[in-house]
């Protein structure tokens, strides 16, 4: 059990290190777009990003997830995994070309009926789609082959390129220019794809077995629902009933909540690979131990950020994005207060996916997708931004419950409800301390006081409730202790000893 969890933690931390840089760059880019372009312009950028990710989900046919799950299990460094990659790439190129051509045709129609400025916006959106699609495909191969360090370096490089290009592009060319920085974000890893292709190995259709194809179909449909409906479909409703300004407000709120959610999405490939290894060995005890420990440790990190962030949102949103985004505060606070459930959902999702039950994931996604459309159709016209946020919070809660129940029923893994309930209580204590500071102070002074107040309150609650087990702290130090700078090790050891006494 400890070997599985340790390997999982190492892979997750490698991905997390690059993700922090990438998320910081993405968040900074969102702030730049908001400040330079305003709610309407930043709403257009957010809409183009949603189109690019949706087009990728439509064109990839579940092949990246198939490679992620299977490339690492095929004959070590032999040719079987290379043949699988060649076969998947052949199908991938056909579908990507078709979808990319469709976007360019739309750009041509836009040029004919509107003007060149709008046409260029969609041309750059097509480039963003291609960059992101090949990034996803390349990343899946690398992570399936346990090359987490390589993807981490490429992700970090892309994040460093993104910020200055978004700044210059938005300043000179508006929303179209800002998108150029997002194209650059995905290019370093996308260009790594050539290194994973062995031209001497033929692309045999037999490499994609019927079981792989069935898994890919189910995961593809599941991802389509996730991207098209569950991730950003609010943009369509807000754009239809209001304007791109409403999309910009909601995108700003999602940007803050997405910082937390994306951390878990980046960690999820490591979960799938590690859970798949344990499942292949039929080690149910290791699966349950890893599942429960990962949920406890992730909740310890995500819940105080989620609750505490929601508490300080009245001062945080205008401070970051400007006073023009003050109408987005209630929606952003709601989104952030429930985003921890979206993050935890990745864990049962990864467990079910690792066991090859993509059909079960599809059922959950269909249920959540239908309810999302119904709730948004009812709540957005009535309550606008707040209605969209409440609808998302409701669906996020339901989706976690469905995934946890599905994992329990079919994989026999159980959510540690007792530990989760105590962590929720500790996070509420953190939010109360942070909220008191925001109530008494304003602006930057409120944020500067609220964050340490919330952190101290949370650490005290964690110690009193004994939420960190001694085994957790030992595992963490065994995994990352050698990689920490020398002066920081005593500090980290002291903090863990405080949080996990005895």
């Amino acid at each position: 059990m400890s070997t599985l969890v340790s390997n999982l933690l190492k892979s997750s931390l490698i991905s997390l290190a690059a993700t922090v840089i990438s998320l910081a760059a993405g968040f900074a880019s969102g702030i730049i777009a908001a400040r330079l372009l305003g709610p309407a312009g930043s709403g257009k950028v957010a809409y183009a990003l949603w189109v690019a990710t949706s087009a990728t989900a439509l064109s990839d046919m579940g092949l990246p997830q198939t490679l992620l799950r299977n490339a690492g299990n095929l004959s070590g460094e032999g040719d079987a995994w290379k043949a699988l990659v060649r076969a998947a790439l052949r199908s991938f190129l056909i579908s990507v070309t078709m979808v990319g051509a469709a976007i360019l045709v739309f750009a041509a129609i836009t040029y004919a009926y509107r003007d060149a400025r709008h046409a260029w916006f969609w041309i750059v959106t097509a480039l963003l789609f291609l960059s992101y699609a090949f990034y996803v495909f390349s990343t899946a191969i690398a992570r399936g082959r346990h090359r987490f360090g390589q993807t981490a370096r490429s992700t970090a490089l892309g994040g460093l390129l993104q910020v200055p290009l978004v700044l210059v592009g938005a300043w000179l060319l508006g929303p179209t220019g800002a998108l150029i920085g997002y194209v650059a974000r995905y290019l370093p890893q996308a260009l790594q794809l050539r290194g994973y292709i062995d031209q001497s190995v033929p692309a045999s259709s037999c490499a994609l077995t019927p079981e792989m194809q069935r898994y890919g179909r189910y995961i593809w449909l599941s991802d389509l629902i996730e991207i098209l409906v569950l991730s950003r479909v609010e943009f369509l409703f807000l754009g239809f009933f209001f304007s791109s300004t409403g999309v910009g407000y909601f995108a700003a709120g999602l940007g803050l909540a997405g910082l937390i959610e994306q951390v878990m999405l980046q960690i999820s490939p490591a979960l799938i690979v590690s859970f798949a290894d344990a499942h292949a060995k039929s080690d149910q005890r290791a699966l349950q131990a890893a599942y429960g420990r990962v949920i406890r440790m992730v909740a310890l990190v995500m819940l105080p950020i989620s609750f505490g962030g929601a508490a300080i949102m009245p001062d945080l949103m205008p401070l970051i994005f400007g006073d023009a985004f003050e109408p987005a505060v209630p929606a952003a606070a709601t989104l952030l207060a429930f985003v921890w459930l979206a993050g935890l959902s990745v864990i049962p999702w990864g467990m079910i996916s690792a066991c090859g039950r993509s059909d079960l994931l599809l059922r959950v996604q269909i249920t959540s997708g239908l309810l999302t459309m119904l709730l948004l159709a009812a709540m957005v016209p009535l309550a606008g931004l707040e209605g969209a946020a409440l609808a998302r919070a409701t669906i996020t809660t339901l989706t976690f419950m469905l995934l946890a129940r599905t994992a329990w029923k079919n994989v026999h893994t159980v959510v540690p409800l007792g530990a989760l309930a105590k962590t929720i209580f500790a996070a509420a204590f953190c939010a109360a301390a942070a909220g008191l500071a925001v109530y008494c102070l304003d602006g930057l002074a409120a944020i500067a006081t609220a964050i340490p107040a919330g952190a101290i309150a949370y650490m005290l609650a964690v110690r009193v409730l004994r939420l960190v087990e001694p085994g957790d702290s030992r595992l963490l130090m065994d995994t990352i202790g050698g990689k920490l700078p020398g002066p920081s090790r005593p500090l980290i050891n002291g903090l863990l000893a405080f949080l996990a006494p005895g």
Side-chain angles (χ1 to χ4, degrees), residues 159-234:
L160 294 175
L161 289 173
Q162 178 180 354
V163 175
L165 289 176
V166 169
L167 174 61
V168 174
W171 181 40
L172 296 177
L173 301 173
T176 302
L179 289 180
I180 295 174
Y182 288 93
V183 174
R185 155 69 179 85
Y186 301 109
L187 280 180
Q189 181 60 40
L191 295 175
Q192 294 283 346
L193 178 59
R194 186 174 181 180
Y196 308 143
I197 307 300
D198 189 342
Q199 300 290 343
S200 64
V201 177
S204 172
S205 58
C206 297
L208 280 167
T209 66
E211 188 277 333
M212 292 180 189
Q213 293 177 8
R214 182 170 57 254
Y215 174 85
R217 283 194 299 270
Y218 283 126
I219 209 73
W220 176 47
L221 292 173
S222 179
D223 284 347
L224 275 178
I225 297 171
E226 173 66 32
I227 297 296
L228 293 175
V229 179
L230 297 178
S231 64
R232 299 292 186 270
V233 73
E234 296 93 346

Side-chain angles (χ1 to χ4, degrees), residues 104-193:
L104 291 176
V105 169
F106 183 78
I109 295 172
T110 302
Y111 176 75
Y113 285 92
R114 300 192 69 175
D115 53 41
R117 181 171 61 88
H118 289 89
W120 273 111
F121 178 82
W122 288 107
I123 290 172
V124 177
T125 299
L127 294 177
L128 176 61
F129 154 67
L130 292 174
S131 176
Y132 182 69
F134 283 102
Y135 161 84
V136 170
F137 192 86
S138 176
T139 301
I141 300 171
R143 287 174 169 170
R145 298 300 297 171
H146 298 271
R147 299 178 184 177
F148 291 96
Q150 186 178 77
T151 59
R153 289 189 294 272
S154 298
T155 299
L157 176 59
L160 294 175
L161 289 173
Q162 178 180 354
V163 175
L165 289 176
V166 169
L167 174 61
V168 174
W171 181 40
L172 296 177
L173 301 173
T176 302
L179 289 180
I180 295 174
Y182 288 93
V183 174
R185 155 69 179 85
Y186 301 109
L187 280 180
Q189 181 60 40
L191 295 175
Q192 294 283 346
L193 178 59

Side-chain angles (χ1 to χ4, degrees), residues 335-354:
L335 292 171
L336 200 56
F338 284 86
V339 75
W340 66 276
L341 283 166
L344 284 189
S345 295
V346 171
I347 303 170
W349 187 96
M351 178 64 73
I352 299 166
S353 178

